């Protein structure tokens, strides 16, 4: 079934994690942000950072979140990279938005990936 990117789905996987209905391996938490290890890591370090507010993707987040939420979110991303020890060695941040990007979970999230050479920015056409 196609993912609805217009209306926030309270039953998306990250909403369930935020409610405590699903477990997660937390690496960082504050009043507005949660970060946890990806369940299917695609690099030695693969952490997901999400706002606690109900935002579908980055357009929704940047349109509707408060300035404090937005600044706090991106500061948290930088702090988490430091805490993971991947700032100096380098890492990649990815935020998928909508169907063409392959976004699977309709709750805004940033992937932090590191720990090996990450290759080209996008996969070659198959
Ligand atoms: P995206 O394609 O950008 O929506 O990425 C969604 C990510 O969520 C994928 O990398 C999944 O492996 C990850 N994921 C799905 N379910 C869980 C879960 N229960 N805990 C942690 N990560 C998850």
């Amino acid at each position: 079934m196609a993912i609805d990117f217009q209306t926030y789905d309270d039953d998306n996987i990250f909403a369930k994690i935020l409610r405590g209905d699903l477990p997660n391996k937390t690496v960082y938490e504050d009043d507005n942000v949660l970060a946890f290890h990806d369940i299917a890591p695609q690099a030695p370090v693969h952490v997901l950072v999400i706002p606690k507010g109900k935002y579908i993707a980055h357009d929704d987040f940047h349109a509707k979140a408060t300035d404090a939420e937005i600044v706090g979110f991106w500061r948290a991303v930088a702090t988490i990279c430091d805490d993971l020890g991947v700032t100096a060695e380098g890492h990649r941040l990815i935020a998928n938005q909508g169907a063409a990007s392959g976004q699977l979970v309709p709750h805004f999230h940033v992937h932090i990936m590191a720990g090996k050479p990450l290759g080209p920015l996008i996969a070659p056409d198959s």
Side-chain angles (χ1 to χ4, degrees), residues 3-120:
I3 297 170
D4 179 1
F5 290 108
Q6 303 304 313
T7 308
Y8 186 82
D9 173 11
D10 280 310
D11 284 328
N12 79 72
I13 290 169
F14 296 166
K16 290 179 180 175
I17 286 176
L18 286 167
R19 282 200 299 272
D21 293 346
L22 286 176
N24 75 93
K25 294 185 177 172
T26 300
V27 299
Y28 174 94
E29 183 166 16
D30 66 28
D31 287 348
N32 296 310
V33 179
L34 180 69
F36 48 89
H37 290 285
D38 195 290
I39 202 167
Q42 295 185 42
V45 174
H46 189 171
V47 165
L48 301 171
V49 189
I50 67 174
K52 290 185 175 177
K54 297 179 179 184
Y55 305 110
I56 299 167
H58 85 77
D59 64 332
D60 198 29
F61 178 65
H62 292 104
K64 296 179 184 162
T66 65
D67 289 359
E69 280 179 287
I70 294 170
V71 170
F73 181 84
W74 290 107
R75 287 225 166 101
V77 170
T79 297
I80 294 160
C81 290
D82 284 346
D83 292 348
L84 292 168
V86 301
T87 300
E89 75 175 61
H91 53 270
R92 182 171 291 161
L93 304 181
I94 298 173
N96 287 320
Q97 158 115 17
S101 72
Q103 183 178 359
L104 294 173
V105 181
H107 181 114
F108 173 52
H109 52 282
V110 168
H111 299 250
I112 299 172
M113 308 182 80
K116 69 172 188 179
L118 294 171

